[in-house]
Amino acid sequence: MLQAHKFYINFKKECHKWIDKTQISKKIPNSKSKIQKPKSYDLPSTVFYLGLTYFLTAGLVSCSNFSFFGINALGANVTPIRELRSQPDSNTTVYIQGKVEKIAPLLQRRAYLVRDETGKIWAITNQTNLRVGDQVVIKGKIRYRSIPIAGREYGEVYVEEK
């Protein structure tokens, strides 16, 4: 028991010495220690890494369906579907962006009902790999098909991809 008590007293003294030593060295810097210079950055490597970060971020954004003020990540000016109803058969090339709601198979093509925040429109295209729920951007011309029934017009505006 006496040896354990001596060990404890010596251990306590050593701990206090170590604590006192570390506190003194924090208060009074050692005159022999070198003053560390701030890390200098190599300008060409910094520019390289910033440029690499920029291009990787731009690449990731361009692969998504990101759009900002009607311009999608690819730079194409996307027309809201609501605006297409006012210009039937104008033979204007437009980009529409939205989610596929329905699919109608045709002989050699497919018709997709595309919806965005402003409305929905049929888009006829050669693409056969789209599924319901897919986000799409389709480039095509505005067309109008007249369907008169019993003296009333039931025509439909649609987008035809070329």
Side-chain angles (χ1 to χ4, degrees), residues 6-122:
K6 283 183 180 178
F7 175 78
Y8 173 73
I9 297 294
N10 284 338
F11 180 74
K12 192 174 176 183
K13 284 180 184 177
E14 290 297 320
C15 287
H16 282 292
K17 284 181 189 176
W18 182 81
I19 291 171
D20 290 340
K21 194 181 213 181
T22 57
Q23 287 177 352
I24 289 172
S25 66
K26 286 182 184 176
K27 291 178 184 174
I28 304 169
N30 188 356
S31 61
K32 294 180 182 178
S33 66
K34 292 182 180 179
I35 297 175
Q36 291 184 351
K37 293 180 182 178
K39 184 176 180 182
S40 65
Y41 293 99
D42 186 25
L43 184 62
S45 66
T46 303
V47 171
F48 172 76
Y49 286 119
L50 285 174
L52 181 64
T53 303
Y54 171 76
F55 283 113
L56 289 175
T57 304
L60 287 174
V61 169
S62 69
C63 292
S64 69
N65 291 321
F66 178 74
S67 66
F68 190 67
F69 293 119
I71 298 176
N72 69 0
L74 300 174
N77 193 8
V78 176
T79 305
I81 292 174
R82 158 183 73 235
E83 294 178 14
L84 300 178
R85 301 273 180 213
S86 63
Q87 44 184 329
D89 211 16
S90 65
N91 207 22
T92 306
T93 300
V94 295
Y95 289 87
I96 61 169
Q97 180 176 9
K99 186 182 279 192
V100 175
E101 277 197 346
K102 292 182 183 177
I103 301 172
L106 304 174
L107 289 176
Q108 295 178 357
R109 303 168 98 188
R110 296 261 170 110
Y112 298 99
L113 184 62
V114 179
R115 173 188 287 277
D116 71 358
E117 302 85 29
T118 65
K120 52 188 174 181
I121 193 167
W122 284 98

